[in-house]
């Protein structure tokens, strides 16, 4: 096959091209697919702390919430029906992500985004007009179907559209949209909770129509990626589109590599079975372990239960919602740090720094809650300084996640998969993410009731494990063209035994890069 690019001075392969206004616009629009996921995370925790919502749909929880503060605060939200409301979405997203893999592969990334937006819009309308718990559950399931399609297609779209030098920053636009969605939802919760008559929760849930319309309309105006066009046999259109995306006339090197990758992809009749082949062992491992660890950082406990959590540790409803707004603002700001640094400092540095930061904060928060609540969950009067300390360390924890495991948990899997397994492997990533989001959402309130402050120490343990995993097994992927990613596995001290030279048909055989950071022990 053609050489497919030139070799830069450090031994890495490079393609000509620049960050054009066109590709910047398309990536910004596509990244807004993250708004629906973020909005839901922010809204679900907020409405479940609103007394009017609980009184209508979950009266047993409402009665416990209104009891005297001397009762066990750890257990006031422990309700199977309430956790089903929250977690049913993630089970639906798991199922739809598997279907989305086929749609994304055969019909393109845009169609998956469109389906995601339409389904999410339908779910938002049902939730906004809900009169019974079953309507809430049906609405949540439709929201989950929408999120499954969007989370499967948007990260792939961004990684394929972006020039490799800017792939990290542009892909993290997806995570930035998630954080903005969370923040907007938390701000709206704060104000809607103040509406007299107790119907503000309808606006919170129904407001999900807005981000749904953004991704729906956006998918109609976006072009498909050259990778997807080639995969569906539209070679000339793909080459024309690639010229426009890269802003240069000579794209033959990159185009030839994409065509070669597509031919290898089309020779695979069963991509799901193909994932089990030995040479894809590192990809499958990362597709499973990265989203698995991402959820076990405990971040979703903080983000979609933030108002509930703050209410549990003694804040009033208004104060708990405002504290959630504060953490949401930190989340957005820290994600901007990741956008700035991911292509400068590398993925591994951010993973390890963020892990260290989260570990320290989880230990401090566990100590603070344990000191005031003990094991019986009766804190008495909580001083103002205590609340400030808890919120401060939770914010530092959120910042650590937001510039490490948050964005990189989506970026790294979407950029490491060869084209022939890309859609199937991305579905594995989304599915694992949703499985463990579902499990944690389903059991968190029960775990809080039984483990009490020790719950934060459980998550701290997993942060230690995941940081060790990254240090030993994850190679650096910054600055590597997406269709040449096989090189990082061939030069890794452990994964090289599974991936031998010549196994990637579209890979340039080149010397080991000096800055990939893979020869560590």
């Amino acid at each position: 096959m053609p050489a497919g690019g030139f070799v830069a001075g450090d031994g890495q392969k490079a393609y000509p091209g620049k960050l054009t206004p066109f590709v910047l616009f398309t990536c910004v629009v596509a990244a807004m697919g993250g708004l629906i996921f973020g909005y839901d995370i922010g809204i679900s925790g907020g409405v479940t702390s609103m007394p009017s919502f609980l009184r209508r749909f979950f009266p047993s929880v409402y009665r416990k919430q209104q009891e005297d503060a001397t009762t066990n605060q750890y257990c006031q939200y422990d309700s199977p029906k309430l956790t089903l409301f929250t977690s049913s979405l993630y089970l639906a997203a798991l199922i739809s992500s598997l279907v989305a893999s086929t749609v994304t592969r055969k019909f393109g990334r845009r169609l998956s985004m469109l389906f995601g937006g339409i389904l999410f819009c339908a779910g938002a309308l049902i939730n906004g007009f809900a009169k019974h718990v079953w309507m809430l559950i049906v609405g949540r399931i439709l929201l989950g179907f929408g999120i499954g399609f969007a989370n499967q297609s948007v990260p792939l779209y961004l990684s394929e559209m972006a020039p490799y030098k800017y792939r990290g920053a542009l892909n993290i636009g997806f995570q930035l949209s998630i954080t903005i969605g969370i923040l907007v939802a938390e701000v709206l919760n704060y104000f809607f909770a103040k509406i007299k008559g107790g119907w503000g929760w309808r606006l919170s849930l129904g407001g999900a129509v807005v981000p749904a319309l953004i991704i729906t309309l956006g998918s109609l105006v976006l072009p498909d990626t050259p990778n997807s066009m080639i995969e569906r046999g539209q070679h000339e259109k793909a080459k024309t589109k690639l010229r426009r995306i890269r802003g240069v006339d000579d794209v033959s090197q990159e185009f030839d590599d994409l065509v070669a990758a597509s031919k290898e992809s089309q020779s695979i009749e069963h991509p799901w079975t193909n994932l089990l082949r030995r040479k894809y062992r590192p990809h499958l491992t990362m597709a499973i372990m990265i989203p698995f660890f991402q959820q076990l950082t405990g971040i979703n406990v903080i983000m979609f239960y933030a108002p509930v959590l703050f209410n549990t540790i003694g804040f009033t409803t208004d104060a708990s919602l405002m504290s959630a707004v504060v953490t949401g603002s930190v989340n957005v700001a820290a994600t901007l740090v990741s956008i700035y640094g991911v292509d400068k400092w590398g993925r591994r540095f951010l993973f390890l720094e963020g892990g260290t930061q989260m570990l320290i904060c989880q230990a401090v928060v566990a100590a603070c809650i344990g000191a005031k609540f003990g094991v019986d969950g009766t804190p008495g009067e909580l001083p103002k300084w205590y609340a400030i300390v808890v919120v401060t360390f939770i914010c530092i924890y959120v910042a650590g996640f937001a510039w490490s495991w948050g964005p990189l948990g989506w970026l790294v899997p979407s950029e490491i998969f060869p084209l022939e397994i890309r859609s199937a492997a991305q579905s594995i990533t989304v599915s694992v993410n949703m499985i463990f989001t579902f499990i944690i959402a389903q059991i968190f309130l029960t775990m809080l009731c039984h483990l009490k402050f020790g719950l934060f120490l459980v998550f701290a343990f997993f942060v230690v494990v995941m940081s060790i995993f990254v240090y030993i097994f994850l190679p650096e992927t910054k600055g590597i063209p997406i269709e040449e990613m096989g090189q990082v596995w061939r030069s890794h001290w452990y994964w090289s035994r599974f991936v031998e030279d010549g196994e990637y048909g579209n890979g340039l055989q080149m010397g080991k890069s000096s800055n990939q950071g893979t020869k560590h022990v």
Side-chain angles (χ1 to χ4, degrees):
M1 58 157 289
F6 61 89
V7 178
D10 60 0
Q12 292 187 81
K13 192 170 185 181
Y15 296 120
K18 52 191 176 183
L19 183 60
T20 63
F22 174 72
V23 77
L24 185 61
F25 169 78
T26 57
C27 286
V28 168
V29 173
M32 288 184 181
L35 288 174
I36 62 175
F37 193 26
Y39 187 87
D40 177 79
I41 292 173
I43 282 296
S44 57
V47 296
T48 52
S49 71
M50 293 182 185
S52 59
F53 178 80
L54 293 174
R55 185 172 59 245
R56 183 182 183 96
F57 295 106
F58 307 99
S60 63
V61 177
Y62 174 75
R63 286 192 295 272
K64 283 192 286 186
Q65 187 190 55
Q66 301 304 309
E67 287 177 358
D68 188 78
T70 58
T71 60
N72 190 335
Q73 297 294 295
Y74 289 125
C75 299
Q76 63 173 315
Y77 288 95
D78 186 16
S79 164
K81 191 188 295 185
L82 181 60
T83 53
L84 178 62
F85 162 74
T86 302
S87 58
S88 57
L89 177 145
Y90 302 102
L91 195 59
L94 157 66
I95 296 170
S96 68
S97 67
L98 301 177
V99 177
S101 168
T102 301
V103 174
T104 302
R105 180 180 173 91
K106 293 188 175 181
F107 302 104
R109 286 50 168 153
R110 290 171 61 245
L111 195 61
S112 279
M113 292 185 215
L114 178 62
F115 284 168
I118 292 173
L119 290 167
F120 196 87
C121 187
L125 290 172
I126 292 175
N127 275 350
F129 290 103
K131 294 184 181 296
H132 307 283
V133 172
W134 70 264
M135 293 180 70
L136 289 178
I137 303 299
V138 170
R140 294 285 291 173
I141 289 172
L142 288 174
L143 294 176
F145 287 156
I147 286 174
F149 272 94
N151 286 11
Q152 206 279 340
S153 53
V154 172
L156 289 185
Y157 185 94
L158 294 172
S159 286
E160 291 179 348
M161 287 292 285
Y164 71 93
K165 292 180 181 178
Y166 306 100
R167 186 176 63 244
L170 292 176
N171 190 288
I172 290 175
F174 176 67
Q175 178 67 17
L176 179 63
S177 289
I178 293 176
T179 62
I180 291 173
I182 293 172
L183 177 59
V184 169
E186 289 168 339
V187 171
L188 292 178
N189 279 336
Y190 179 74
F191 288 105
F192 290 158
K194 296 178 178 295
I195 293 178
K196 293 181 179 180
W199 52 274
W201 61 268
R202 291 193 182 276
L203 296 179
S204 291
L205 294 177
V209 168
V210 176
L213 290 176
I214 290 175
I215 184 60
T216 301
L217 297 176
S219 66
L220 295 175
V221 301
L222 289 174
D224 223 332
T225 66
N227 311 60
S228 180
M229 290 179 179
I230 292 171
E231 201 171 16
R232 289 175 287 134
Q234 302 171 3
H235 287 207
E236 288 306 313
K237 288 176 65 175
K239 194 166 189 176
T240 301
K241 187 65 64 179
L242 189 60
R243 288 193 187 101
R244 187 178 183 192
I245 290 171
R246 298 295 178 248
V248 295
D249 291 329
D250 184 11
V251 294
S252 58
Q253 299 167 325
E254 183 175 2
F255 179 77
D256 288 343
D257 277 1
L258 294 178
V259 170
S262 178
K263 288 180 179 177
E264 184 170 349
S265 171
Q266 290 170 359
S267 69
I268 305 299
E269 294 183 8
H270 305 289
W272 293 99
T273 305
N274 195 52
L275 270 171
L276 300 177
R277 293 175 60 185
R278 179 181 172 85
K279 70 174 182 176
Y280 298 126
R281 195 73 49 81
H283 310 80
L284 185 60
T285 301
M286 296 303 164
I288 293 172
M289 298 308 295
I290 288 179
F292 168 74
F293 283 137
Q294 186 191 47
Q295 293 312 305
L296 289 176
T297 58
I299 187 62
N300 278 350
V301 168
I302 297 295
M303 299 315 295
F304 63 62
Y305 284 119
V308 171
L309 185 62
F310 286 128
N311 192 266
T312 296
I313 60 176
F315 292 72
T316 64
T317 299
D318 273 2
S320 66
L321 288 173
M322 179 50 71
S323 298
V325 170
V326 172
T327 58
S329 301
V330 171
N331 200 13
V332 173
T335 304
L336 293 173
V337 173
S338 186
I339 289 176
Y340 171 79
V342 68
D343 291 316
K344 296 178 182 292
W345 308 324
R347 282 65 160 156
R348 283 169 47 80
F349 171 80
L350 289 176
F351 267 130
L352 296 173
E353 191 284 331
T356 303
Q357 189 169 321
M358 287 189 292
L359 175 63
I360 294 171
C361 292
Q362 283 167 327
V364 172
V365 170
C368 287
I369 296 178
K372 291 299 292 182
F373 285 75
V375 294
D376 59 359
T378 54
E381 190 70 26
L382 293 173
K384 186 175 181 180
W385 67 264
Y386 168 86
I388 293 173
V389 169
V390 171
V391 172
T392 298
F393 275 94
I394 285 179
C395 284
I396 297 172
Y397 162 83
V398 169
F401 175 86
W403 60 51
S404 62
W405 280 92
L408 299 181
W410 294 106
L411 166 62
V412 173
S414 72
E415 68 182 359
I416 63 174
F417 304 135
L419 185 61
E420 64 267 21
I421 62 167
R422 191 168 296 156
S423 292
Q426 181 67 10
S427 285
I428 295 291
T429 297
V430 175
S431 297
V432 172
N433 188 294
M434 294 304 159
I435 286 171
F436 285 96
T437 304
F438 169 79
I439 292 172
I440 290 174
Q442 193 67 32
I443 67 175
F444 163 66
L445 294 175
T446 301
M447 290 176 68
L448 180 63
C449 181
H450 292 88
L451 295 178
K452 304 172 176 60
F453 62 88
L455 178 60
F456 292 93
L457 298 179
V458 172
F459 289 126
F461 167 76
F462 280 107
V463 169
V464 173
V465 174
M466 66 185 70
S467 297
I468 294 171
F469 174 83
V470 166
Y471 182 77
I472 296 176
F473 293 111
L474 183 67
E476 182 58 69
T477 57
K478 74 166 184 174
I480 309 293
I482 191 170
E483 300 301 349
E484 298 300 323
M485 200 60 70
Q487 173 60 21
V488 303
W489 309 114
R490 288 193 295 268
S491 60
H492 190 271
W493 73 272
Y494 179 76
W495 298 121
S496 58
R497 71 193 67 185
F498 298 98
V499 182
E500 298 177 358
D501 285 348
E503 282 203 293
Y504 287 89
N506 61 319
L508 179 67
Q509 303 305 316
M510 50 187 177
K512 290 177 172 58
S513 173
S514 61
N515 68 344
Q516 287 176 23
T518 60
K519 288 290 183 179
H520 52 274
V521 293

